[in-house]
């Protein structure tokens, strides 16, 4: 047996060595300016070379593109065009810019496919701009990104831990205020609005994939001001609602439920995991965009708490962006990688990593249910096993 293993090992080594030599040769070749000029002109490689040139430039210019979008949102440009096209001078007056500066912004937004210029010179919404009108939660997230951009002014200092306190870590310090007296927790309002916008963006996708109509009572952990539960109430009229979040956040959620005429169906619980146990009585627990905000130790404690709160056979849903999503690699590893680094906690995990954590916490029958937009959220459904 030993003799039969040796050739396979040598063969695998030779194959890996061949690949390494080929990749090194390929890298040296592509790095040469002369080759790049040749590839840009040769008919069989011209398209690839030009696409690579554009991709590299877009990486360099990405911040400018993001700031162009930010300016459009800050100036409410998309809403101004919601009712129809407008001339450049009219738009300049409405947004309070000099005509030449407005023209510069309008051309930039057109180049990014946010706007379209009509033959008569007026500007109208393009598809991307129109999509933002229908998703105000996206605009809220774009405004919020000003903090992230400031934290990334020196990404190397951030990576080395030399940047000092970040804007995002200061923003998310709402948690300390939210633990105390709800009446004095003013910083919680901004957090609640942002989380509401974030949850509203994906609530429909989650509920289309898993409608909840077969359940009697839901506990949404880290549910903010109840945006997801309000959507769930519309999808499942017979569902009782429970929300667990920090005390000041839970108090605001109770107000939102009252405004939505849901007080008879909804109860809110203030606390902080892992210090406080989750309330029992629900047959389904949901974690919507919660797990990736925390490091592994806290996630393990949270999943154990969810296990303790559920009856045997109860259901746990995890809905969030996940690493390893085809076509969304940059979102998980670049965007969330740096966002969560600046925030000071958490990471995007693969479905396999989450499955391992769920299994460790005592959940089984773990399966993924496809969602409409996996780039924004994927959904894992699991069952509490009666084994601990």
């Amino acid at each position: 047996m030993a003799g039969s293993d040796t050739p396979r090992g040598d063969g695998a080594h030779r194959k890996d060595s061949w690949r390494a030599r080929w990749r090194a040769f390929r890298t040296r070749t592509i790095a040469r300016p002369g080759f790049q000029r040749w590839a840009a002109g040769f008919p069989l490689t011209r398209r690839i070379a030009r696409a690579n040139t554009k991709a590299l430039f877009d990486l360099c210019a990405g911040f400018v593109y993001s700031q162009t979008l930010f300016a459009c949102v800050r100036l409410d440009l998309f809403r101004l065009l919601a009712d129809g096209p407008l001339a450049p001078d009219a738009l300049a007056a409405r947004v309070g810019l000099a005509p030449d500066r407005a023209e510069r912004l309008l051309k930039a937004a057109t180049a990014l496919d946010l706007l379209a210029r009509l033959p008569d010179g007026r500007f109208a919404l393009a598809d991307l701009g129109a999509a933002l009108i229908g998703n105000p939660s996206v605009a809220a997230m774009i405004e919020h990104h000003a903090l992230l951009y400031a934290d990334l002014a020196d990404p190397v200092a951030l990576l080395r831990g030399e940047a000092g306190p970040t804007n995002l870590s200061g923003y998310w310090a709402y948690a300390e205020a939210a633990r105390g007296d709800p009446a004095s927790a003013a910083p919680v309002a901004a957090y609640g609005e942002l989380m509401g916008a974030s949850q509203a963006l994906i609530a429909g996708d989650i509920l289309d994939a898993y409608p909840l109509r077969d359940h009697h009572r839901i506990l949404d952990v880290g549910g903010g001001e109840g945006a997801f539960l309000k959507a769930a109430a519309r999808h499942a009229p017979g569902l009782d609602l429970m929300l667990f979040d920090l005390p000041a956040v839970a108090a605001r959620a109770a107000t939102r439920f009252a405004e939505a005429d849901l007080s008879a169906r909804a109860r809110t619980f203030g606390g902080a995991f892992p210090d406080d146990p989750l309330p029992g009585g629900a047959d389904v627990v949901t974690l919507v965009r919660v797990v990736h905000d925390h490091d592994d130790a806290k996630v393990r404690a949270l999943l154990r708490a969810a296990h303790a709160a559920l009856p045997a056979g109860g259901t746990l849903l995890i809905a969030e962006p996940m690493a390893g999503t085809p076509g969304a690699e940059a979102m998980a590893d670049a965007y969330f990688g740096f966002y969560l680094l600046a925030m000071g906690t958490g990471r995007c995990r693969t479905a396999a990593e989450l499955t391992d954590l769920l299994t460790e916490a005592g959940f089984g029958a773990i399966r993924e249910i496809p969602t409409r937009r996996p780039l924004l959220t994927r959904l894992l459904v699991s069952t509490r096993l009666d084994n601990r």
Side-chain angles (χ1 to χ4, degrees):
M1 293 297 292
S4 64
D5 288 342
T6 303
R8 286 200 297 269
D10 289 346
H13 175 74
R14 286 195 297 271
K15 189 174 183 180
D16 290 343
S17 178
W18 179 86
R19 287 176 175 171
R21 290 196 300 271
W22 164 249
R23 179 165 289 278
F25 169 77
R26 186 174 186 272
T27 299
R28 290 194 302 270
T29 302
I30 293 174
R32 295 203 309 265
F35 175 81
Q36 293 173 20
R37 288 194 300 273
W38 173 83
F42 186 61
L44 295 181
T45 57
R46 180 186 303 148
R47 180 177 297 179
I48 296 172
R50 292 179 180 179
N52 287 343
T53 300
K54 180 181 183 302
L56 185 59
F57 183 83
D58 284 345
L59 284 174
C60 296
F63 179 73
V64 178
Y65 301 161
S66 297
Q67 292 300 84
T68 300
L69 175 61
F70 179 75
C72 292
V73 170
R74 177 63 62 87
L75 294 171
D76 212 10
L77 186 60
F78 304 124
R79 187 188 62 81
L80 291 175
L81 289 168
D83 293 331
L86 289 172
D89 288 347
L91 282 168
R94 300 278 285 274
V95 301
L97 293 178
D100 62 322
R101 300 298 176 90
E103 181 83 9
R104 190 180 298 266
L105 175 62
L106 294 169
K107 285 182 176 179
T110 299
L112 296 177
D113 294 325
L114 296 164
L115 304 181
R117 191 160 199 169
L118 303 182
D120 62 6
R122 294 181 300 163
F123 285 88
L125 288 176
D127 289 350
L128 292 180
L132 283 167
I133 294 293
N135 291 284
S137 53
V138 178
M141 295 298 294
I142 291 168
E143 290 266 12
H144 171 68
H145 282 151
L147 300 175
L148 175 61
Y149 298 153
D151 289 337
L152 289 176
D154 187 345
V156 175
L158 180 65
L159 287 164
R160 289 176 172 165
E162 300 170 351
T166 62
N167 291 280
L168 279 179
S169 64
Y171 178 86
W172 293 111
Y174 80 90
E176 292 306 315
R179 290 174 184 266
D181 179 9
S184 62
V188 177
Y191 156 81
E193 292 172 2
L194 180 64
M195 290 305 296
S198 172
Q199 290 186 345
L201 179 64
I202 61 171
D205 289 6
I206 297 168
L207 295 166
D208 286 342
Y210 192 92
L212 291 169
R213 296 187 187 95
D214 293 334
H215 293 281
H216 304 292
R217 183 174 293 120
I218 179 175
L219 170 63
D220 191 26
V221 179
E225 297 186 9
F228 176 71
L229 284 184
K230 287 190 289 184
R234 293 191 294 270
H235 274 246
L239 190 67
D240 290 336
L241 315 174
M242 299 167 63
L243 181 143
F244 179 92
D245 211 314
L246 296 166
V249 180
R252 291 178 62 87
T255 300
R256 298 290 178 261
F257 288 138
E259 293 169 351
D261 198 26
L262 288 171
S263 294
R265 294 174 57 187
R267 288 185 292 163
T268 60
F269 299 84
F273 62 81
D275 303 329
D276 301 310
L278 300 179
D283 61 336
V284 57
V285 171
T286 50
L287 298 169
V288 180
R289 296 181 68 91
V290 169
V291 173
H292 70 299
D293 285 342
H294 301 287
D295 295 328
D296 286 355
K298 199 163 188 178
V299 171
R300 287 188 172 95
L302 175 58
L303 296 180
R304 288 195 299 268
H307 186 277
L310 282 166
T315 300
L316 174 65
L317 306 183
I318 294 179
E320 63 177 46
M322 298 181 194
T325 301
E329 293 84 358
M331 180 201 68
D333 294 331
Y335 171 76
F336 276 112
F338 274 87
Y339 184 100
L340 296 171
L341 177 65
M343 193 171 83
T345 179
R347 66 185 180 90
C348 257
R349 297 169 177 86
T350 65
E353 288 175 309
L354 291 169
T355 296
D356 289 342
L357 289 168
L358 286 165
T359 301
E360 180 184 327
F363 290 91
I366 303 164
R367 62 199 186 279
E368 180 172 1
I369 297 181
T371 60
R372 292 179 185 272
R373 295 175 292 181
L375 182 146
L376 296 179
T377 189
R378 290 167 65 182
L379 180 63
L380 288 182
V381 180
S382 58
T383 302
R384 181 202 190 274
L385 303 179
D386 193 14
N387 59 356
R388 59 180 62 193

